[in-house]
Amino acid sequence: MLDNILRRGDVLNLIKEIGSNNRYNKKEKMDSINYLQFVNVEQPLFILVDALFKYKVIIDDIYLLDDYIEQLDLLFRKLSNFYDIRIGINRLIAKFVAIKLGYKDKIEENRRKILSYVYDRYIANGYLFHSVSDVYVEDIKINGFTPQKYNNLYPEFNEVKNILGNDIMGDLNEFEVSFTDNFLMAYYYAVNSPMYFYKILCDNYLITKKEDKEAYFKNDYVACFKNLNKVIYKLDLGEAKAKKVRYICNKEWNLLNRSDSCPTVMVVKRSLLLKDDIREYEEILNNTEDDLGDLVGKIIDSRFNNVKCSKKINSADIEFISLFGYKDVERQDSILESDDIIDGDKDVEFVDDYGKVSLLLLIGSMLITFGVILSIIMMSR
């Protein structure tokens, strides 16, 4: 539902600017909500694609799209922080809705009509989102989505959780999933899906360096399993537990085809899981004093980040959006194939300063090949 916008040349050019141009991606972050969650160029990337999604749902006018993308480009170039960029996007949406409805020169007289239109498009007929690993997409298209039937390694990761502890892994709920009305955060979850795996490899209190936390976003097998070795070393796990954790995590990496995965968001109609009451919005619709763009923001800002779902959703009610990953915005570093399980102590450096696989890694991987194969055979018995 968004492919025709995301694959445009001007959008792809803007994505490349966000990935490589400090004028687009080096902003003040302290004013941004949850800014610490994001690594690398995630935040500007997510904000941009969220703005394009909102345009598609609310305005969806091919004749206005060129100008809208130009205005987004201007916001990213001129404004100094991400908070102001997001405020600017809300005001852009208000402006373009007014143009679409023919109220360009009579905005104040038609405030309620503009706000009602935004409410109808984005809330009454809007969407909820759940992020999935793209390896599940074809099965869901055929069989629908059943939360309890994720083809995942939950029993094995319950073992990992018992070994590593709650502080490293977080919650693992295999019977209920959550939807959100926040497309930006759905993108975040898609990049880091499944979250328990991301937490083990990158997002825990034992992984502290910024560059280490970027490994999952980059689909970098070498860096992720180097992180895992740090966790194993710092927790002082015995050899048997360490091998079990490495084996299960490597198995999950291959199951998800993580080295080549594409961030994917599953989209369903909001009304399928959530019943909104327009009375909640009446105060916004009747507001004649505040800035129109700010009021648009109050309508389209997230209200529900954890809409529980335990029922099956038919395939006919589901759409998918394939989004940009790290390889789409920056040059991707060389990575090791995930069939070669990384093992080793905390002081072994597998990647040199330029992100390329070091000679030590190549030699080491050859030496441990036999041991890896033997370990996998023994674990599968």
Side-chain angles (χ1 to χ4, degrees), residues 59-250:
I59 302 162
D60 198 20
D61 189 317
I62 189 63
Y63 298 106
L64 299 176
L65 184 54
D66 289 354
D67 189 25
Y68 184 76
I69 294 171
E70 289 179 9
Q71 294 296 315
L72 286 178
D73 189 306
L74 187 64
L75 286 179
F76 276 92
R77 280 191 287 119
K78 297 296 185 182
L79 298 183
S80 63
N81 65 75
F82 293 126
Y83 177 82
D84 286 344
I85 290 173
R86 297 188 68 177
I87 295 298
I89 289 168
N90 291 338
R91 292 175 179 176
L92 270 187
I93 290 172
K95 170 186 172 182
F96 278 86
V97 169
I99 295 172
K100 179 181 176 71
L101 297 180
Y103 303 143
K104 181 179 179 180
D105 299 319
K106 298 181 179 179
I107 292 178
E108 286 305 311
E109 299 96 306
N110 294 282
R111 286 167 63 95
R112 183 179 173 89
K113 291 180 181 178
I114 293 170
L115 293 170
S116 295
Y117 178 86
V118 173
Y119 170 85
D120 180 70
R121 298 283 291 187
Y122 201 77
I123 302 299
N125 292 288
Y127 300 92
L128 294 175
F129 318 103
H130 175 68
S131 303
V132 296
S133 298
D134 59 348
V135 294
Y136 302 129
V137 169
E138 291 306 315
D139 179 69
I140 294 172
K141 285 181 177 179
I142 296 170
N143 300 309
F145 176 73
T146 304
Q148 298 87 346
K149 292 187 178 180
Y150 257 131
N151 180 25
N152 226 323
L153 305 177
Y154 290 123
E156 289 92 334
F157 274 97
N158 276 319
E159 292 184 62
V160 172
K161 185 174 182 178
N162 290 335
I163 294 172
L164 299 182
N166 293 345
D167 291 341
I168 298 294
M169 189 165 164
D171 293 332
L172 178 64
N173 191 336
E174 56 189 290
F175 301 111
E176 192 176 62
V177 299
S178 295
F179 283 74
T180 177
D181 64 349
N182 187 333
F183 183 79
L184 186 151
M185 289 307 298
Y187 197 166
Y188 168 81
Y189 297 137
V191 165
N192 298 307
S193 176
M195 291 300 295
Y196 62 81
F197 197 39
Y198 168 57
K199 287 180 177 296
I200 293 171
L201 297 180
C202 288
D203 188 31
N204 60 72
Y205 71 95
L206 297 177
I207 305 300
T208 57
K209 293 182 180 179
K210 178 182 177 182
E211 57 269 27
D212 292 341
K213 290 183 176 292
E214 296 175 356
Y216 204 79
F217 174 49
K218 295 180 177 181
N219 291 347
D220 189 334
Y221 175 82
V222 169
C224 282
F225 279 77
K226 183 179 173 183
N227 286 347
L228 181 62
N229 281 332
K230 290 179 181 178
V231 170
I232 288 170
Y233 177 84
K234 291 179 179 179
L235 292 178
D236 195 22
L237 302 182
E239 182 178 352
K241 290 181 178 179
K243 285 187 175 181
K244 180 180 284 290
V245 170
R246 289 192 190 101
Y247 173 77
I248 293 173
C249 288
N250 191 75

Side-chain angles (χ1 to χ4, degrees), residues 39-50:
V39 300
N40 204 276
V41 297
E42 283 185 349
Q43 189 167 15
L45 174 65
F46 297 167
I47 290 172
L48 172 64
V49 178
D50 178 60

Side-chain angles (χ1 to χ4, degrees), residues 235-335:
L235 292 178
D236 195 22
L237 302 182
E239 182 178 352
K241 290 181 178 179
K243 285 187 175 181
K244 180 180 284 290
V245 170
R246 289 192 190 101
Y247 173 77
I248 293 173
C249 288
N250 191 75
K251 187 177 177 182
E252 176 83 343
W253 188 280
N254 287 320
L255 173 65
L256 299 174
N257 191 29
R258 183 68 208 181
S259 295
D260 297 309
S261 66
C262 170
T264 303
V265 173
M266 186 172 71
V267 182
V268 302
K269 278 290 187 179
R270 191 179 180 103
S271 57
L272 192 67
L273 299 175
L274 190 61
K275 302 302 179 185
D276 287 285
D277 189 341
I278 194 172
R279 288 175 296 182
E280 297 177 18
Y281 297 89
E282 281 295 336
E283 183 178 347
I284 298 173
L285 299 179
N286 292 323
N287 188 315
T288 60
E289 298 180 359
D290 293 340
D291 180 87
L292 182 62
D294 294 343
L295 294 175
V296 166
K298 289 182 179 181
I299 294 175
I300 64 180
D301 282 350
S302 174
R303 289 171 181 254
F304 303 96
N305 200 42
N306 193 20
V307 180
K308 298 295 185 182
C309 175
S310 57
K311 69 176 183 178
K312 179 177 179 178
I313 300 176
N314 295 326
S315 59
D317 295 321
I318 297 171
E319 295 183 71
F320 292 95
I321 301 177
S322 298
L323 298 167
F324 300 109
Y326 175 74
K327 65 182 179 181
D328 298 307
V329 297
E330 290 187 344
R331 179 182 61 81
Q332 193 170 25
D333 298 331
S334 299
I335 59 174

